[in-house]
Amino acid sequence: MESKEMVVPSVQILERFREIRRRSEEICAPLEIEDYVVQPVVDVSPPKWHLGHSTWFFETFILQPHKEGYEVFDPQYNFVFNSYYETIGARVIRTDRGNLSRPSVADVYRYRNYVDAQMAEFLETHVPDAGLASLLELGLNHEQQHQELLMTDIKYILGHNPLFPAYQKEASATGHPKPEGRMLTFSEGLYEIGFSGEGFCFDNELGRHTVYLNNFGISEDTVTNGEYLEFIEAGGYMDFRYWHSDGWSWVNQKNVRSPLYWHHIDGQWMAYGLNGLQKIDPDKAVCHVSFYEASAFAAWKGMRLPTEQEWEVASPFISWGERWEWTNSAYLAYPGFKKEAGAVGEYNGKFMINQMVLRGASEATPPGHSRPTYRNFFQPDLQWQFSGIRLAQ
């Protein structure tokens, strides 16, 4: 993350800390106790684990090294809730998070309450210097990342329950017809990308640099369900010509024939959403597609996916934020990228291999947690994120 040579008043940090911590518990409020422990696949973590892990972050990186006389809530929790930080020590392997019937959900909430009280006491009696304030801000943004993961994982858990239970009962918003095929054009030339200015960013958004882009066009809007349905009905999943080699193997090995959560029932396409199983709205942006599917759809349309550089340059002129948007860019370091020392340095750099960049934000992204320079990244076969498609040429 980027460090700022300034000190933020503790009262402001504490207020923000409480607000973000409360939001994580609000996301889990509609769940039944049984929902907290389920792990259907390796990429999905149980909601209970997210609540514990985000708490562990503050205990491990803030309280233990900085609060005099701090006593950890439970010495075993470092093993249970460490995610991937090799510097911190051994941990439960990711596939076993769903086997953690203990600690109980009640234990995890007690853990959160304990750490929250200790953090409040610490911030009420200490003024963080610039370095500690930056670390606190990283912890808050880390929790917001897990709030989005909570939404994606809860949807996967409930969406793979044979009863398709609704997470919420409110009526879902309907899509609105979009101008078809409107492309914005940009001239070749030199452009600046990357984070600059005040405020928080992750280290993978630094440093700002110049790129040369050829003439390109980019769609003003993302692809809709109706447009994607045309691809399905045209046999797009059956025609190798549109797929990368790895994507074609994935389609056939996994027998993929539609976006995640789509079901063809009695001759009609249905999709599971947070309001339960409903008919597909053709005007809503398509969601839960892999990079392989996004790229194949673009090829079928005679177009391509934008690069992340093109996306960022175009971002002030396009409508974004409803879906994370696959780009045709591998997740790599920007020029001059340096990992920070210690465990915090494991946050982003170690994942710069075998992943593709997504840009924008989604309906699951917490307020205030999106910006044009944000670089999300996932493996190309994953569908479970709120991911969609924007076309370029």
Side-chain angles (χ1 to χ4, degrees), residues 253-269:
Q253 290 172 7
K254 301 292 186 180
N255 195 33
V256 180
R257 296 294 180 265
S258 66
L260 186 63
Y261 304 119
W262 283 35
H263 302 274
H264 200 242
I265 302 173
D266 296 331
Q268 180 172 255
W269 281 103

Side-chain angles (χ1 to χ4, degrees), residues 281-324:
D281 183 341
D283 294 323
K284 292 190 73 172
V286 71
C287 195
H288 299 296
V289 291
S290 69
F291 169 81
Y292 293 143
E293 291 167 296
S295 183
F297 177 86
W300 176 73
K301 294 288 285 187
M303 289 189 260
R304 60 177 175 84
L305 301 179
T307 66
E308 67 166 319
Q309 294 86 359
E310 291 170 338
W311 190 98
E312 187 171 322
V313 167
S315 62
F317 309 99
I318 59 178
S319 174
W320 60 271
E322 191 176 6
R323 304 283 184 257
W324 284 104

Side-chain angles (χ1 to χ4, degrees), residues 148-169:
E148 184 154 6
L149 289 170
L150 265 170
M151 294 302 301
T152 59
D153 291 356
I154 287 169
K155 185 172 182 179
Y156 195 98
I157 289 166
L158 299 180
H160 285 78
N161 182 312
L163 300 179
F164 297 120
Y167 166 77
Q168 58 193 15
K169 298 296 185 181

Side-chain angles (χ1 to χ4, degrees), residues 20 23-24 27 50 140-156 202 274 287-288 321-325 358-370 374 376 378 384-387:
I20 289 175
R23 176 58 185 153
S24 297
I27 290 171
H50 285 292
L140 294 173
N141 278 268
H142 169 261
E143 178 131 359
Q144 287 181 306
Q145 285 185 314
H146 278 272
Q147 289 170 357
E148 184 154 6
L149 289 170
L150 265 170
M151 294 302 301
T152 59
D153 291 356
I154 287 169
K155 185 172 182 179
Y156 195 98
F202 289 109
L274 295 174
C287 195
H288 299 296
E322 191 176 6
R323 304 283 184 257
W324 284 104
E325 302 172 24
L358 300 97
R359 287 303 195 101
S362 81
E363 61 190 81
T365 305
H369 192 67
S370 62
Y374 198 118
N376 205 346
F378 286 105
W384 112 112
Q385 186 54 256
F386 286 78
S387 50

Side-chain angles (χ1 to χ4, degrees), residues 183-254:
M183 302 291 290
L184 305 179
T185 58
F186 292 82
S187 300
E188 66 177 335
L190 298 174
Y191 296 91
E192 295 286 316
I193 69 163
F195 184 86
S196 66
E198 297 296 318
F200 174 85
C201 76
F202 289 109
D203 57 2
N204 64 2
E205 301 171 57
L206 300 169
R208 192 164 176 83
H209 59 285
T210 303
V211 296
Y212 175 81
L213 299 178
N214 290 318
N215 296 327
F216 72 94
I218 189 168
S219 177
E220 189 174 24
D221 291 297
T222 51
V223 172
T224 64
N225 288 328
E227 291 171 314
Y228 198 86
L229 187 56
E230 293 175 5
F231 170 68
I232 295 176
E233 293 176 341
Y237 280 91
M238 307 295 206
D239 195 329
F240 71 90
R241 294 176 298 169
Y242 306 125
W243 298 83
H244 290 95
S245 176
D246 285 352
W248 185 240
S249 297
W250 172 77
V251 162
N252 287 287
Q253 290 172 7
K254 301 292 186 180

Side-chain angles (χ1 to χ4, degrees), residues 126-143:
H126 291 77
V127 177
D129 60 20
L132 183 55
S134 293
L135 188 58
L136 281 162
E137 188 63 30
L138 177 62
L140 294 173
N141 278 268
H142 169 261
E143 178 131 359

